Coordinates of all heavy atoms in Angstrom, one line a residue:
M1058 N -55.2 16.2 32.8 CA -54.0 16.1 32.0 C -54.2 16.1 30.6 O -55.1 15.4 30.1 CB -53.2 14.8 32.5 CG -51.9 14.7 31.7 SD -50.9 13.2 32.2 CE -50.5 13.6 33.8
L1059 N -53.4 16.8 29.8 CA -53.5 16.8 28.3 C -52.5 15.8 27.8 O -51.6 15.5 28.4 CB -53.2 18.2 27.9 CG -54.1 19.3 28.4 CD1 -53.6 20.7 28.1 CD2 -55.6 19.1 28.0
T1060 N -52.8 15.4 26.6 CA -51.9 14.4 25.9 C -51.6 14.9 24.5 O -52.4 15.6 23.8 CB -52.5 13.0 25.8 OG1 -53.7 13.1 25.0 CG2 -52.8 12.4 27.2
M1061 N -50.4 14.5 24.0 CA -50.0 14.8 22.7 C -49.0 13.6 22.3 O -48.2 13.2 23.1 CB -49.2 16.1 22.6 CG -48.9 16.5 21.1 SD -47.8 18.0 21.0 CE -48.8 19.2 21.9
E1062 N -49.1 13.2 21.1 CA -48.3 12.1 20.6 C -47.5 12.5 19.3 O -48.1 13.2 18.5 CB -49.1 10.8 20.2 CG -49.8 10.2 21.4 CD -50.5 8.9 21.0 OE1 -50.2 8.3 20.0 OE2 -51.4 8.5 21.8
V1063 N -46.2 12.3 19.3 CA -45.4 12.6 18.2 C -44.4 11.5 17.9 O -44.2 10.6 18.7 CB -44.5 13.9 18.5 CG1 -45.4 15.1 18.7 CG2 -43.6 13.7 19.7
C1064 N -43.9 11.4 16.6 CA -43.0 10.4 16.3 C -41.9 11.2 15.4 O -42.1 12.2 14.8 CB -43.6 9.2 15.6 SG -44.1 9.6 13.9
V1065 N -40.7 10.5 15.4 CA -39.6 11.1 14.6 C -38.7 10.0 14.2 O -38.5 9.0 14.9 CB -38.9 12.2 15.5 CG1 -38.2 11.6 16.7 CG2 -37.9 13.0 14.7
R1066 N -38.1 10.2 13.1 CA -37.0 9.2 12.7 C -35.7 9.7 13.2 O -35.1 10.6 12.6 CB -37.0 9.0 11.1 CG -36.1 8.0 10.7 CD -36.3 7.6 9.2 NE -37.6 7.0 9.0 CZ -37.9 5.7 9.3 NH1 -37.1 4.9 9.9 NH2 -39.2 5.3 9.0
A1067 N -35.3 9.2 14.3 CA -34.0 9.6 14.9 C -33.6 8.6 16.0 O -34.4 7.7 16.4 CB -34.2 11.0 15.6
D1068 N -32.3 8.7 16.4 CA -31.9 7.8 17.5 C -32.8 8.2 18.8 O -33.2 9.3 18.9 CB -30.4 8.2 17.7 CG -29.9 7.7 19.1 OD1 -29.6 6.5 19.1 OD2 -29.8 8.5 20.0
F1069 N -33.0 7.2 19.6 CA -33.9 7.4 20.7 C -33.4 8.5 21.7 O -34.2 9.4 22.0 CB -33.9 6.1 21.5 CG -34.9 6.1 22.7 CD1 -36.2 6.2 22.5 CD2 -34.4 6.1 24.0 CE1 -37.1 6.3 23.6 CE2 -35.2 6.1 25.1 CZ -36.6 6.2 24.9
H1070 N -32.2 8.6 22.0 CA -31.7 9.6 22.9 C -31.7 11.0 22.3 O -32.0 11.9 23.0 CB -30.2 9.3 23.4 CG -30.1 8.0 24.1 ND1 -30.6 7.8 25.4 CD2 -29.6 6.8 23.8 CE1 -30.5 6.6 25.8 NE2 -29.8 5.9 24.9
T1071 N -31.4 11.0 21.0 CA -31.6 12.3 20.3 C -33.0 12.8 20.3 O -33.3 14.0 20.5 CB -31.1 12.2 18.9 OG1 -29.7 11.7 18.9 CG2 -31.2 13.4 18.1
A1072 N -34.0 11.9 20.1 CA -35.3 12.2 20.0 C -35.8 12.8 21.3 O -36.5 13.8 21.4 CB -36.2 11.0 19.6
I1073 N -35.4 12.2 22.5 CA -35.8 12.6 23.8 C -35.2 14.0 24.0 O -35.9 14.9 24.6 CB -35.4 11.6 24.9 CG1 -36.1 10.3 24.6 CG2 -35.7 12.1 26.2 CD1 -37.6 10.3 24.5
A1074 N -34.0 14.2 23.7 CA -33.3 15.5 23.9 C -33.9 16.6 23.1 O -34.2 17.7 23.6 CB -31.8 15.4 23.6
R1075 N -34.3 16.3 21.9 CA -35.0 17.3 21.0 C -36.3 17.6 21.5 O -36.7 18.8 21.5 CB -35.0 16.8 19.6 CG -33.7 16.9 18.9 CD -33.5 16.3 17.5 NE -34.7 16.4 16.7 CZ -34.8 15.7 15.5 NH1 -33.9 14.9 15.2 NH2 -35.9 15.8 14.8
A1076 N -37.1 16.6 22.0 CA -38.4 16.9 22.5 C -38.3 17.8 23.8 O -39.1 18.7 24.0 CB -39.2 15.6 22.8
T1077 N -37.4 17.5 24.6 CA -37.2 18.2 25.9 C -36.8 19.6 25.5 O -37.3 20.6 26.1 CB -36.1 17.5 26.8 OG1 -36.6 16.2 27.1 CG2 -35.9 18.3 28.1
A1078 N -35.9 19.8 24.6 CA -35.5 21.2 24.2 C -36.6 22.0 23.6 O -36.7 23.2 23.8 CB -34.3 21.1 23.1
S1079 N -37.5 21.3 22.8 CA -38.6 22.0 22.3 C -39.5 22.5 23.4 O -40.0 23.6 23.4 CB -39.4 21.0 21.4 OG -38.7 20.7 20.2
A1080 N -39.8 21.7 24.4 CA -40.6 22.1 25.6 C -39.9 23.3 26.3 O -40.6 24.3 26.7 CB -40.8 21.0 26.5
E1081 N -38.6 23.3 26.4 CA -37.9 24.3 27.2 C -38.0 25.6 26.4 O -38.1 26.7 27.0 CB -36.5 23.9 27.4 CG -36.4 22.8 28.5 CD -35.0 22.3 28.6 OE1 -34.1 22.6 27.8 OE2 -34.7 21.5 29.6
R1082 N -38.0 25.6 25.0 CA -38.1 26.7 24.2 C -39.5 27.4 24.3 O -39.7 28.6 24.0 CB -37.7 26.5 22.8 CG -36.2 26.3 22.6 CD -35.8 26.5 21.1 NE -36.5 25.6 20.2 CZ -36.2 24.3 19.9 NH1 -35.2 23.8 20.6 NH2 -36.9 23.6 19.1
C1083 N -40.5 26.6 24.8 CA -41.8 27.1 25.0 C -42.1 27.4 26.5 O -43.2 27.5 26.9 CB -42.8 26.1 24.5 SG -42.7 25.8 22.7
D1084 N -41.0 27.7 27.2 CA -41.1 28.0 28.7 C -41.6 26.9 29.5 O -42.2 27.1 30.5 CB -41.9 29.3 28.9 CG -41.3 30.5 28.2 OD1 -40.1 30.6 28.2 OD2 -42.1 31.4 27.8
G1085 N -41.4 25.6 29.1 CA -41.9 24.5 29.8 C -40.6 23.8 30.4 O -39.5 24.2 30.2
W1086 N -41.0 22.8 31.2 CA -39.9 22.0 31.8 C -40.4 20.5 31.9 O -41.5 20.3 32.0 CB -39.4 22.6 33.1 CG -40.5 22.6 34.2 CD1 -40.7 21.6 35.1 CD2 -41.5 23.5 34.4 NE1 -41.7 21.9 35.9 CE2 -42.3 23.1 35.5 CE3 -41.8 24.7 33.8 CZ2 -43.3 23.8 36.0 CZ3 -42.9 25.5 34.3 CH2 -43.6 25.0 35.4
L1087 N -39.4 19.6 31.9 CA -39.6 18.2 32.1 C -39.8 17.9 33.5 O -38.9 18.1 34.3 CB -38.5 17.4 31.4 CG -38.6 15.9 31.3 CD1 -39.8 15.6 30.4 CD2 -37.4 15.3 30.8
A1088 N -40.9 17.3 34.0 CA -41.1 17.0 35.4 C -40.9 15.5 35.6 O -40.8 15.1 36.7 CB -42.5 17.4 35.7
G1089 N -40.9 14.7 34.5 CA -40.8 13.2 34.8 C -40.8 12.5 33.4 O -41.1 13.1 32.4
H1090 N -40.5 11.2 33.4 CA -40.6 10.5 32.2 C -40.7 9.0 32.5 O -40.5 8.5 33.6 CB -39.3 10.7 31.4 CG -38.1 10.1 32.0 ND1 -37.4 10.7 33.1 CD2 -37.4 8.9 31.9 CE1 -36.4 10.0 33.5 NE2 -36.4 8.9 32.8
T1091 N -41.3 8.2 31.5 CA -41.3 6.8 31.6 C -40.8 6.3 30.3 O -41.2 6.7 29.2 CB -42.8 6.3 31.8 OG1 -43.3 6.9 33.0 CG2 -42.8 4.8 31.9
L1092 N -39.8 5.4 30.3 CA -39.2 4.8 29.1 C -39.8 3.5 28.8 O -39.9 2.6 29.7 CB -37.7 4.7 29.3 CG -37.0 6.0 29.6 CD1 -35.5 5.8 29.9 CD2 -37.1 7.1 28.6
Y1093 N -40.1 3.2 27.5 CA -40.6 1.9 27.1 C -39.6 1.5 26.0 O -39.7 1.8 24.9 CB -42.0 2.1 26.5 CG -43.0 2.6 27.5 CD1 -43.3 3.9 27.5 CD2 -43.5 1.7 28.4 CE1 -44.3 4.3 28.5 CE2 -44.5 2.1 29.4 CZ -44.8 3.4 29.5 OH -45.7 3.9 30.4
S1094 N -38.6 0.7 26.5 CA -37.5 0.2 25.6 C -36.8 1.4 25.0 O -36.7 2.4 25.7 CB -38.1 -0.7 24.6 OG -37.1 -1.4 23.9
N1095 N -36.3 1.3 23.8 CA -35.6 2.4 23.2 C -36.4 2.9 22.0 O -35.9 3.5 21.0 CB -34.2 2.0 22.8 CG -34.2 1.0 21.6 OD1 -35.1 0.3 21.4 ND2 -33.0 0.9 21.0
V1096 N -37.7 2.7 22.0 CA -38.6 3.2 20.9 C -39.5 4.2 21.4 O -39.8 5.2 20.6 CB -39.3 2.0 20.3 CG1 -40.3 2.4 19.2 CG2 -38.4 1.0 19.8
R1097 N -40.1 4.1 22.6 CA -41.1 5.0 23.0 C -40.8 5.5 24.4 O -40.4 4.8 25.3 CB -42.5 4.4 23.0 CG -43.6 5.2 23.2 CD -44.9 4.6 22.7 NE -46.1 5.3 23.1 CZ -46.8 6.1 22.3 NH1 -46.3 6.3 21.0 NH2 -47.9 6.6 22.7
A1098 N -41.2 6.8 24.6 CA -41.0 7.4 26.0 C -42.2 8.3 26.1 O -42.7 8.9 25.2 CB -39.8 8.2 26.1
V1099 N -42.7 8.4 27.4 CA -43.7 9.4 27.7 C -43.1 10.4 28.6 O -42.6 10.1 29.7 CB -44.9 8.7 28.4 CG1 -45.9 9.7 28.8 CG2 -45.5 7.7 27.4
L1100 N -43.1 11.7 28.2 CA -42.5 12.8 29.0 C -43.6 13.5 29.7 O -44.7 13.9 29.0 CB -41.7 13.7 28.1 CG -40.7 13.0 27.1 CD1 -40.0 14.1 26.3 CD2 -39.7 12.3 27.9
L1101 N -43.5 13.8 30.9 CA -44.4 14.7 31.7 C -43.9 16.1 31.6 O -42.8 16.4 32.2 CB -44.5 14.1 33.1 CG -45.6 14.8 34.0 CD1 -46.9 14.5 33.4 CD2 -45.5 14.3 35.4
V1102 N -44.6 16.9 30.9 CA -44.1 18.3 30.7 C -45.1 19.3 31.3 O -46.3 19.2 31.2 CB -44.0 18.6 29.1 CG1 -43.6 20.0 28.9 CG2 -43.1 17.6 28.5
H1103 N -44.5 20.3 32.1 CA -45.3 21.4 32.6 C -45.0 22.6 31.7 O -43.8 22.9 31.4 CB -44.9 21.7 34.0 CG -45.3 20.7 35.0 ND1 -46.4 21.0 35.9 CD2 -44.9 19.4 35.3 CE1 -46.6 19.9 36.7 NE2 -45.7 19.0 36.3
L1104 N -46.0 23.3 31.3 CA -45.8 24.5 30.5 C -47.0 25.5 30.7 O -48.0 25.0 31.1 CB -45.4 24.2 29.1 CG -46.5 23.7 28.1 CD1 -46.1 24.0 26.7 CD2 -46.7 22.3 28.3
P1105 N -46.8 26.7 30.3 CA -48.0 27.7 30.4 C -49.0 27.2 29.4 O -48.7 26.8 28.3 CB -47.3 29.0 30.0 CG -45.9 28.8 30.1 CD -45.6 27.4 30.0
G1106 N -50.3 27.3 29.8 CA -51.4 26.9 29.0 C -51.4 27.5 27.6 O -51.6 26.9 26.6
P1107 N -51.1 28.9 27.5 CA -51.1 29.5 26.1 C -50.0 29.0 25.2 O -50.1 29.3 24.0 CB -51.0 30.9 26.5 CG -51.5 31.1 27.9 CD -51.1 29.9 28.6
A1108 N -49.0 28.3 25.8 CA -47.9 27.8 25.0 C -48.1 26.5 24.2 O -47.3 26.1 23.5 CB -46.6 27.7 25.8
L1109 N -49.3 25.9 24.4 CA -49.6 24.6 23.8 C -49.5 24.7 22.3 O -48.8 23.8 21.7 CB -50.9 24.0 24.3 CG -50.9 23.5 25.7 CD1 -52.4 23.3 26.2 CD2 -50.1 22.2 25.8
P1110 N -50.1 25.6 21.6 CA -49.9 25.6 20.1 C -48.5 25.9 19.7 O -48.0 25.3 18.7 CB -50.8 26.8 19.7 CG -51.8 26.9 20.8 CD -51.1 26.6 22.0
K1111 N -47.8 26.7 20.5 CA -46.4 27.0 20.2 C -45.5 25.7 20.3 O -44.7 25.5 19.5 CB -45.8 28.0 21.1 CG -44.4 28.4 20.8 CD -43.8 29.5 21.8 CE -42.4 29.7 21.5 NZ -41.8 30.6 22.5
L1112 N -45.9 24.9 21.3 CA -45.1 23.6 21.5 C -45.4 22.7 20.3 O -44.4 22.1 19.7 CB -45.5 22.9 22.7 CG -44.9 21.6 22.9 CD1 -43.4 21.6 23.0 CD2 -45.4 20.9 24.2
A1113 N -46.6 22.6 19.8 CA -46.9 21.8 18.6 C -46.1 22.3 17.4 O -45.5 21.5 16.7 CB -48.4 21.8 18.4
A1114 N -46.0 23.6 17.2 CA -45.3 24.1 16.1 C -43.8 24.0 16.2 O -43.1 23.6 15.3 CB -45.6 25.6 16.0
T1115 N -43.3 24.1 17.4 CA -41.9 23.9 17.7 C -41.5 22.4 17.5 O -40.4 22.2 16.8 CB -41.5 24.3 19.1 OG1 -41.9 25.7 19.3 CG2 -40.1 24.2 19.4
L1116 N -42.3 21.5 17.9 CA -42.0 20.1 17.7 C -42.0 19.8 16.2 O -41.1 19.1 15.7 CB -43.0 19.2 18.4 CG -42.8 19.1 19.9 CD1 -44.1 18.5 20.6 CD2 -41.6 18.3 20.3
A1117 N -43.0 20.3 15.5 CA -43.0 20.1 14.0 C -41.8 20.7 13.3 O -41.2 20.1 12.4 CB -44.3 20.7 13.5
A1118 N -41.4 21.9 13.8 CA -40.2 22.5 13.2 C -38.9 21.7 13.5 O -37.9 21.8 12.7 CB -40.1 24.0 13.7
D1119 N -38.9 21.0 14.6 CA -37.7 20.2 15.0 C -37.8 18.7 14.3 O -37.0 17.9 14.7 CB -37.7 20.0 16.5 CG -37.2 21.3 17.2 OD1 -36.6 22.1 16.4 OD2 -37.4 21.4 18.4
G1120 N -38.8 18.5 13.4 CA -38.8 17.3 12.7 C -39.7 16.2 13.2 O -39.8 15.1 12.7
F1121 N -40.5 16.5 14.2 CA -41.5 15.6 14.8 C -42.8 15.6 14.0 O -43.1 16.7 13.5 CB -41.8 15.9 16.3 CG -40.7 15.7 17.2 CD1 -39.7 16.7 17.4 CD2 -40.6 14.4 17.8 CE1 -38.6 16.4 18.3 CE2 -39.5 14.2 18.7 CZ -38.6 15.2 18.9
V1122 N -43.4 14.5 13.9 CA -44.7 14.4 13.2 C -45.8 14.2 14.3 O -45.6 13.3 15.1 CB -44.7 13.2 12.2 CG1 -46.1 13.1 11.6 CG2 -43.7 13.5 11.1
L1123 N -46.7 15.1 14.4 CA -47.8 14.9 15.3 C -48.7 13.8 14.9 O -49.2 13.9 13.8 CB -48.6 16.2 15.5 CG -47.9 17.3 16.5 CD1 -46.7 17.8 16.0 CD2 -49.0 18.3 16.9
T1124 N -48.9 12.8 15.8 CA -49.8 11.7 15.4 C -51.1 11.8 16.1 O -51.8 10.8 16.1 CB -49.0 10.4 15.7 OG1 -48.7 10.3 17.1 CG2 -47.8 10.2 14.8
S1125 N -51.3 12.9 16.9 CA -52.6 13.1 17.5 C -52.9 14.6 17.4 O -52.0 15.4 17.1 CB -52.5 12.7 19.0 OG -51.7 13.6 19.7
E1126 N -54.1 14.9 17.6 CA -54.5 16.4 17.6 C -53.8 17.1 18.7 O -53.9 16.6 19.9 CB -56.0 16.5 17.7 CG -56.8 16.1 16.5 CD -56.5 17.0 15.3 OE1 -56.4 18.2 15.5 OE2 -56.3 16.5 14.2
P1127 N -53.1 18.2 18.4 CA -52.5 18.9 19.6 C -53.6 19.6 20.4 O -54.6 20.0 19.9 CB -51.7 20.0 18.8 CG -52.3 20.1 17.5 CD -52.9 18.8 17.1
P1128 N -53.4 19.7 21.7 CA -54.3 20.3 22.6 C -54.4 21.8 22.3 O -53.4 22.4 21.8 CB -53.8 20.0 23.9 CG -52.4 19.6 23.8 CD -52.2 19.1 22.4
L1129 N -55.6 22.4 22.5 CA -55.8 23.8 22.3 C -55.2 24.6 23.4 O -55.0 24.1 24.5 CB -57.3 24.1 22.2 CG -58.0 23.4 21.0 CD1 -59.5 23.6 21.1 CD2 -57.4 23.8 19.7
A1130 N -54.9 25.8 23.2 CA -54.4 26.7 24.2 C -55.4 26.8 25.4 O -56.6 26.8 25.2 CB -54.1 28.1 23.7
V1131 N -54.8 26.8 26.6 CA -55.6 26.9 27.8 C -55.2 28.1 28.6 O -54.0 28.5 28.7 CB -55.3 25.6 28.7 CG1 -56.1 25.7 30.0 CG2 -55.7 24.4 27.9
N1132 N -56.2 28.8 29.2 CA -55.9 30.0 30.0 C -55.5 29.6 31.4 O -56.3 29.7 32.3 CB -57.1 31.0 30.0 CG -57.2 31.7 28.6 OD1 -56.2 31.9 27.9 ND2 -58.4 32.0 28.3
A1133 N -54.3 29.0 31.5 CA -53.9 28.6 32.9 C -52.4 28.8 32.9 O -51.7 28.8 31.9 CB -54.1 27.1 33.1
D1134 N -51.9 29.2 34.1 CA -50.5 29.5 34.2 C -49.6 28.2 34.0 O -48.5 28.3 33.5 CB -50.2 30.0 35.7 CG -50.7 31.4 35.8 OD1 -51.0 32.1 34.8 OD2 -51.0 31.8 37.0
D1135 N -50.1 27.0 34.4 CA -49.3 25.8 34.3 C -50.3 24.7 34.0 O -51.3 24.5 34.6 CB -48.7 25.5 35.7 CG -47.8 24.3 35.7 OD1 -47.1 24.1 34.6 OD2 -47.7 23.6 36.7
V1136 N -50.0 24.0 32.9 CA -50.7 22.8 32.5 C -49.7 21.6 32.5 O -48.5 21.7 32.3 CB -51.4 22.9 31.2 CG1 -52.5 23.9 31.2 CG2 -50.4 23.2 30.1
V1137 N -50.3 20.4 32.7 CA -49.5 19.2 32.6 C -49.8 18.5 31.3 O -50.9 18.3 31.0 CB -49.8 18.3 33.9 CG1 -48.9 17.0 33.8 CG2 -49.5 19.0 35.1
L1138 N -48.7 18.2 30.6 CA -48.9 17.5 29.3 C -48.2 16.2 29.3 O -47.0 16.1 29.7 CB -48.3 18.4 28.2 CG -48.3 17.8 26.8 CD1 -49.8 17.7 26.2 CD2 -47.5 18.7 25.9
S1139 N -48.9 15.1 28.9 CA -48.2 13.9 28.7 C -47.9 13.8 27.2 O -48.7 13.7 26.3 CB -49.2 12.7 29.0 OG -48.7 11.5 28.7
L1140 N -46.5 13.9 27.0 CA -46.0 13.9 25.6 C -45.4 12.5 25.3 O -44.4 12.2 25.8 CB -44.9 15.0 25.5 CG -44.3 15.1 24.1 CD1 -45.3 15.4 23.0 CD2 -43.2 16.2 24.2
A1141 N -46.1 11.8 24.4 CA -45.6 10.4 24.0 C -44.7 10.6 22.8 O -45.2 11.2 21.8 CB -46.8 9.5 23.7
V1142 N -43.5 10.2 22.9 CA -42.5 10.3 21.8 C -42.2 8.9 21.3 O -41.7 8.1 22.1 CB -41.2 11.0 22.3 CG1 -40.2 11.1 21.2 CG2 -41.6 12.4 22.9
T1143 N -42.3 8.7 20.0 CA -41.9 7.4 19.4 C -40.7 7.7 18.5 O -40.8 8.6 17.6 CB -43.0 6.8 18.6 OG1 -44.1 6.6 19.4 CG2 -42.6 5.5 17.9
A1144 N -39.6 7.0 18.7 CA -38.4 7.2 17.8 C -38.3 6.0 16.9 O -38.1 4.9 17.4 CB -37.2 7.4 18.7
L1145 N -38.3 6.3 15.6 CA -38.2 5.3 14.6 C -36.7 5.2 14.2 O -36.2 6.2 13.8 CB -39.1 5.6 13.4 CG -40.5 5.8 13.7 CD1 -41.3 6.3 12.5 CD2 -41.2 4.6 14.3
H1146 N -36.1 4.0 14.4 CA -34.7 3.9 14.1 C -34.4 2.5 13.7 O -35.2 1.6 13.9 CB -33.8 4.4 15.2 CG -34.1 3.7 16.5 ND1 -33.6 2.5 16.9 CD2 -34.9 4.1 17.6 CE1 -34.0 2.2 18.0 NE2 -34.8 3.1 18.5
E1147 N -33.2 2.2 13.2 CA -32.8 0.9 12.8 C -32.1 0.1 13.9 O -31.7 -1.1 13.7 CB -31.8 1.0 11.6 CG -32.5 1.7 10.4 CD -33.7 1.0 9.8 OE1 -33.7 -0.2 9.8 OE2 -34.6 1.7 9.4
G1148 N -31.9 0.7 15.0 CA -31.2 0.0 16.1 C -32.0 -1.1 16.8 O -33.2 -1.2 16.6
P1149 N -31.3 -2.0 17.4 CA -32.0 -3.2 18.1 C -32.8 -2.7 19.3 O -32.6 -1.6 19.8 CB -30.9 -4.1 18.5 CG -29.7 -3.1 18.7 CD -29.9 -2.0 17.7
D1150 N -33.8 -3.4 19.6 CA -34.7 -3.1 20.8 C -33.9 -3.4 22.0 O -33.2 -4.4 22.1 CB -35.9 -4.0 20.7 CG -37.0 -3.5 21.6 OD1 -36.9 -2.3 22.1 OD2 -37.9 -4.3 21.9
L1151 N -34.0 -2.5 23.0 CA -33.4 -2.7 24.3 C -34.4 -3.3 25.2 O -35.5 -2.8 25.3 CB -32.8 -1.4 24.8 CG -31.8 -0.7 24.0 CD1 -31.4 0.6 24.7 CD2 -30.5 -1.6 23.9
R1152 N -34.1 -4.2 26.0 CA -35.0 -4.9 27.0 C -34.8 -4.1 28.3 O -33.7 -4.0 28.8 CB -34.7 -6.3 27.1 CG -34.8 -7.1 25.8 CD -36.2 -7.1 25.4 NE -36.3 -7.9 24.1 CZ -37.4 -7.9 23.4 NH1 -38.4 -7.2 23.7 NH2 -37.4 -8.6 22.3
R1153 N -36.0 -3.7 28.9 CA -36.0 -3.1 30.2 C -36.9 -4.0 31.1 O -37.9 -4.5 30.6 CB -36.5 -1.7 30.1 CG -35.6 -0.8 29.3 CD -36.2 0.6 29.4 NE -35.6 1.5 28.5 CZ -34.4 2.1 28.6 NH1 -33.7 1.9 29.6 NH2 -34.0 2.9 27.6
D1154 N -36.6 -4.1 32.3 CA -37.4 -4.8 33.3 C -38.7 -4.0 33.5 O -38.6 -2.7 33.7 CB -36.7 -5.0 34.6 CG -35.6 -6.0 34.6 OD1 -35.6 -6.8 33.7 OD2 -34.6 -5.9 35.3
V1155 N -39.8 -4.6 33.4 CA -41.1 -4.0 33.6 C -41.7 -4.6 34.8 O -41.9 -5.8 34.9 CB -42.0 -4.1 32.4 CG1 -43.4 -3.6 32.7 CG2 -41.4 -3.6 31.1
P1156 N -42.0 -3.8 35.8 CA -42.5 -4.3 37.1 C -43.9 -5.0 36.8 O -44.7 -4.4 36.0 CB -42.6 -3.1 38.0 CG -42.6 -2.0 37.2 CD -41.8 -2.3 35.9
A1157 N -44.2 -6.0 37.6 CA -45.5 -6.6 37.5 C -46.6 -5.7 38.1 O -46.3 -4.9 39.0 CB -45.5 -8.0 38.2
F1158 N -47.8 -5.8 37.6 CA -48.8 -5.0 38.2 C -50.0 -5.9 38.3 O -50.2 -6.9 37.7 CB -49.1 -3.8 37.3 CG -49.6 -4.1 35.9 CD1 -50.9 -4.3 35.6 CD2 -48.7 -4.3 34.9 CE1 -51.3 -4.6 34.3 CE2 -49.1 -4.7 33.6 CZ -50.4 -4.8 33.3
G1159 N -51.0 -5.4 39.2 CA -52.2 -6.2 39.3 C -52.4 -6.8 40.6 O -51.7 -6.9 41.5

């Protein structure tokens, strides 16, 4: 699994919608997500391997700042990318139940 981290100054729901739209414009699709309050989400994205650099450029054009090195293009029909999105905003933190582990 490949990883990429981005942040953006925007409302949480807007940030998630924009990140999903960026992946879709690169022929990708959202396969799952994990929400961490209203500040951070990790999106599980499937997309063609050669589209990885295009996704990084599309996210940057949509106002996201890459906080990690973008993965290089891969010669594969389908790759799985863990896209961590941090939304910086002035709103209050939302509490979510987190299941116990261990």
